[in-house]
Amino acid sequence: MEPLTLPLLIGFVIMSLGSLAIYAHGDKRTEFLHHTQFHSVVPFIAATAYLAMALGIGRLEMAGGQTLFLARYADWVVTTPILLTGLILAGLHEHPRHSTFILPAVVLDALMIVTGLLAAMTENETAKWIWFAWSSAAFLGIIYLLLGPVMVAARTLGGRMTSVYKANLTFLLVVWAIYPIEWALGPQGLGMFTTLADAWFILVMDVTAKVIYGFVATSRFKKLSIEDADRKPMPATEV
């Protein structure tokens, strides 16, 4: 077995077991069940991607000698919008006007992942960093939505759900902020470490962002009462 396969197989096992553990642990009450479903399906999707990478599917050998995993970006473009949707729903207390914020967040997220892939696939150094900057700009747009309009709505609605949103938001943003730094320093960027080291680094980050975060986030929902998810009216002037 080649060295690069080991972290990918470990990722497959951890993500598979993590998906089952999160669903078994998560809140099954109707008001919060969708959060349990969101957080359990995310590592299941990631497990699929890790299995594909371990089997050598979707690997691109770049001119510089590094290996690009297309399945990794396919995973991110599906799982990160799910995480964003769950986070924004919590911020808006499951309010039916949530699509106002979910749509732009998901679009920016997809652009962030796709342009990050374009940056990784581009051999021209100038174009690579232009795409990286554009991907980072999309990420900043997501941060603005979460810390700006969604946070304002969460504070307006108040209650314990707002505390859950703030705690989950802090966890997720801290972890997500490491990804572009790792990308910039890794084999697709400045090449400061190898593809193998990159695979181990991303494995740790993926487990943190998908399994550990999912377990912690669903634990916070279990501490809420049914009344905390009440869809009370949201003042139009606040959104």
Side-chain angles (χ1 to χ4, degrees):
M1 182 174 65
E2 62 175 317
L4 192 55
T5 304
L6 181 59
L8 302 177
L9 286 177
I10 291 176
F12 167 68
V13 172
I14 293 177
M15 292 297 179
S16 300
L17 296 177
S19 176
L20 294 174
I22 291 172
Y23 187 79
H25 167 77
D27 201 327
K28 305 302 191 298
R29 291 175 295 174
T30 302
E31 290 77 9
F32 304 106
L33 177 60
H34 54 290
H35 289 286
T36 298
Q37 294 170 335
F38 286 172
H39 290 296
S40 61
V41 78
V42 162
F44 186 83
I45 295 170
T48 306
Y50 270 95
L51 180 60
M53 290 187 286
L55 295 175
I57 299 173
R59 292 191 185 185
L60 289 182
E61 301 300 328
M62 307 302 292
Q66 72 270 22
T67 302
L68 180 63
F69 297 99
L70 296 180
R72 176 168 289 150
Y73 288 87
D75 164 11
W76 291 342
V77 83
V78 176
T79 56
T80 51
I82 295 174
L83 292 174
L84 271 176
T85 299
L87 184 63
I88 294 174
L89 283 173
L92 300 180
H93 298 29
E94 322 301 321
H95 198 278
R97 293 180 61 187
H98 55 72
S99 60
T100 302
F101 303 105
I102 289 178
L103 180 60
V106 168
V107 170
L108 285 171
D109 183 76
L111 285 174
M112 176 182 68
I113 303 302
V114 171
T115 51
L117 174 59
L118 291 175
M121 296 177 66
T122 302
E123 296 181 5
N124 180 280
E125 284 298 309
T126 301
K128 175 189 295 291
W129 293 106
I130 289 175
W131 281 122
F132 176 77
W134 196 244
S135 178
S136 299
F139 182 43
L140 291 175
I142 295 170
I143 293 174
Y144 164 74
L145 286 173
L146 297 177
L147 293 177
V150 179
M151 182 66 78
V152 169
R155 287 173 175 167
T156 299
L157 291 168
R160 297 177 64 195
M161 184 78 85
T162 299
S163 298
V164 170
Y165 170 71
K166 290 179 180 178
N168 288 351
L169 173 62
T170 300
F171 190 119
L172 199 60
L173 284 187
V174 169
V175 177
W176 278 8
I178 300 174
Y179 279 90
I181 297 173
E182 194 278 341
W183 190 100
L185 298 178
Q188 277 78 50
L190 297 174
M192 296 180 66
F193 44 86
T194 65
T195 299
L196 179 58
D198 181 65
W200 283 107
F201 287 153
I202 292 181
L203 171 60
V204 172
M205 292 190 298
D206 275 353
V207 170
T208 303
K210 295 178 172 69
V211 177
I212 298 177
Y213 169 72
F215 199 86
V216 170
T218 50
S219 295
R220 292 188 176 118
F221 285 110
K222 291 182 74 172
K223 297 177 181 179
L224 298 176
S225 67
I226 301 300
E227 290 72 22
D228 290 319
D230 184 34
R231 296 180 178 180
K232 62 182 179 180
M234 182 188 299
T237 55
E238 299 291 344
V239 297

